Amino acid sequence: MENQPYADRREAGRLLAERLSSYAERDDLLILALPRGGVPVAYEVACALEAPLDIFLVRKLGVPGHEELAMGAIASGGVRVLNQNVLDMLPVPPAAIEEVAEREQVELKRREHDYRGDREPEPLVGRTVILVDDGLATGSTMRAAAAALQQEKTKRLVIAVPVAARETCDALRSEVDEVICVRTPRPFQAVGLWYTDFHQTDDEEVRTLLRQARQRKVVRVTGN
């Protein structure tokens, strides 16, 4: 199973939820997804654990001319994390880093309003937060999210992904309370290789899943 791809993100989320079953039905639990790809995974986790679902915005900072290569990331709250290994390999002038960061900050704010509208984000202080994405390669995006959340006085912070590079998982363990990586295949190469269906999650799918998660929460509260 370690080297078998998932059918899609929804299946990956259900299997990830099994590894997180000890957190089920906790009153302080919050599932945070990294949009876009993390949302279908996190939705399945939130359903299985009967927990609220919200998003946490992070934007990759791509190297100019090699945008697929992450030189770092920014997250809600003004946090910026740079990947020094990449910058040592492909030096980028500070002014160019600032230009990329400013552009991505505009997009981060646009998406936050697009996904959440005028709703306030779920409160974070004193919560047990499970931060979910569809996979980890370099981990720069997840590291930025974790750094931002550490400033929010959460009670416990857990990183949970269906698949990841083993080295990245190991490196993140010192930065949060717990890291759950269901599969760490070798060689890893790229997240998309470990999904049969890895279509791009679009904005409408994100909005739909967040709306469905809110409706499930209302039903649970009403049922109680």
Side-chain angles (χ1 to χ4, degrees):
M1 292 295 292
E2 181 74 3
N3 287 304
Q4 287 291 110
Y6 295 102
D8 55 23
R9 292 181 178 90
R10 302 292 286 269
E11 180 193 58
R14 291 190 289 271
L15 293 173
L16 178 59
E18 293 177 4
R19 291 285 299 273
L20 294 163
S21 59
S22 62
Y23 289 97
E25 300 182 36
R26 291 181 57 148
D27 292 338
D28 66 344
L29 185 61
L30 173 62
I31 311 301
L32 283 185
L34 297 184
R36 301 174 181 132
V39 175
V41 180
Y43 176 80
E44 296 295 333
V45 172
C47 290
L49 302 186
E50 298 192 12
L53 172 67
D54 203 354
I55 52 169
F56 195 75
L57 273 293
V58 181
R59 293 291 296 174
K60 179 179 77 173
L61 302 180
V63 174
H66 304 274
E67 281 72 18
E68 75 287 350
L69 184 60
M71 62 180 174
I74 58 172
S76 297
V79 173
R80 181 187 304 180
V81 176
L82 296 179
N83 187 330
Q84 198 57 51
N85 291 333
V86 171
L87 292 174
D88 288 342
M89 181 176 61
L90 292 171
V92 180
I97 295 175
E98 288 298 324
E99 182 180 348
V100 173
E102 288 176 7
R103 184 171 64 247
E104 294 300 336
Q105 183 67 32
V106 171
E107 178 63 12
L108 186 150
K109 290 182 178 179
R110 182 197 71 79
R111 288 196 180 190
E112 189 156 42
H113 184 269
D114 188 29
Y115 297 151
R116 191 181 285 121
D118 295 327
R119 286 186 304 107
E120 291 295 319
E122 287 275 348
L124 298 171
V125 175
R127 303 288 289 271
T128 294
V129 175
I130 299 179
L131 188 58
V132 177
D133 202 356
D134 54 10
L136 295 175
T138 66
S140 60
T141 301
M142 184 64 79
R143 186 169 286 109
L149 288 168
Q150 295 285 17
Q151 300 178 12
E152 298 293 340
K153 298 181 180 179
T154 58
K155 182 165 71 175
R156 183 173 179 82
L157 180 57
V158 179
I159 288 172
V161 295
V163 65
R166 188 170 304 174
E167 297 80 6
T168 301
C169 276
D170 291 342
L172 286 169
R173 294 188 197 283
S174 63
E175 301 183 25
V176 296
D177 296 295
E178 185 178 6
V179 176
I180 301 293
C181 300
V182 179
R183 297 178 187 172
T184 53
R186 291 182 185 272
F188 179 76
Q189 296 183 305
V191 172
L193 294 177
W194 303 103
Y195 288 86
T196 301
D197 177 1
F198 197 64
H199 73 274
Q200 183 174 350
T201 305
D202 60 26
D203 289 344
E204 183 57 34
E205 184 175 358
V206 171
R207 288 190 293 267
T208 297
L209 291 174
L210 291 175
R211 183 172 61 252
Q212 290 176 356
R214 291 196 304 273
Q215 290 169 349
R216 289 177 63 92
K217 180 180 179 182
V218 169
V219 169
R220 287 198 302 272
V221 171
T222 304
N224 290 338

